[in-house]
Amino acid sequence: MKEPDPALCSWRLDTDNWNKPGFGGFFTGRPYIDRGISGQTTPQMLIRFRPDVIALKPKVVVILAGTNDIAGNTGPMTLQAIEDNIASMAELSRANAYG
């Protein structure tokens, strides 16, 4: 039996532990890949989008982003810059859709 193609949950403070039993184990036994890294901002996410998302060829990409930008984790950012980074990730997802 062929292993199902992955769906991908990406990136927000509370997603990097979603698959761990002590934090709920929400995706146990499901073909989900969690690439969340606590504290990352949209410029950091965008840099790793190709190796961490596109290369995995997921059917679904869930992008949870922006709160760390607003918090200023990597310095001040405009709302437009945050929106542009999220739009770029969405465009890359659509251009490389596998589902």
Side-chain angles (χ1 to χ4, degrees):
M1 182 176 194
K2 183 184 175 284
E3 193 69 26
D5 291 331
L8 187 106
C9 284
S10 79
W11 298 278
R12 193 173 156 200
L13 174 64
D14 55 359
T15 64
D16 61 348
N17 287 312
W18 278 3
N19 60 344
K20 296 177 184 171
F23 293 92
F26 296 108
F27 303 131
T28 303
R30 297 198 173 108
Y32 298 164
I33 299 168
D34 184 1
R35 292 294 192 233
I37 296 179
S38 294
Q40 281 211 325
T41 57
T42 58
Q44 295 169 314
M45 294 166 62
L46 190 53
I47 288 170
R48 59 189 192 91
F49 202 78
R50 285 190 185 277
D52 280 5
V53 177
I54 303 299
L56 298 174
K57 301 179 180 179
K59 286 185 175 183
V60 176
V61 177
V62 177
I63 300 170
L64 302 172
T67 55
N68 291 323
D69 298 82
I70 292 168
N73 286 16
T74 52
M77 284 191 72
T78 65
L79 291 178
Q80 187 62 55
I82 298 166
E83 291 174 17
D84 289 346
N85 289 335
I86 294 170
S88 293
M89 287 183 270
E91 289 167 8
L92 283 167
S93 296
R94 281 191 293 276
N96 293 280
Y98 297 99

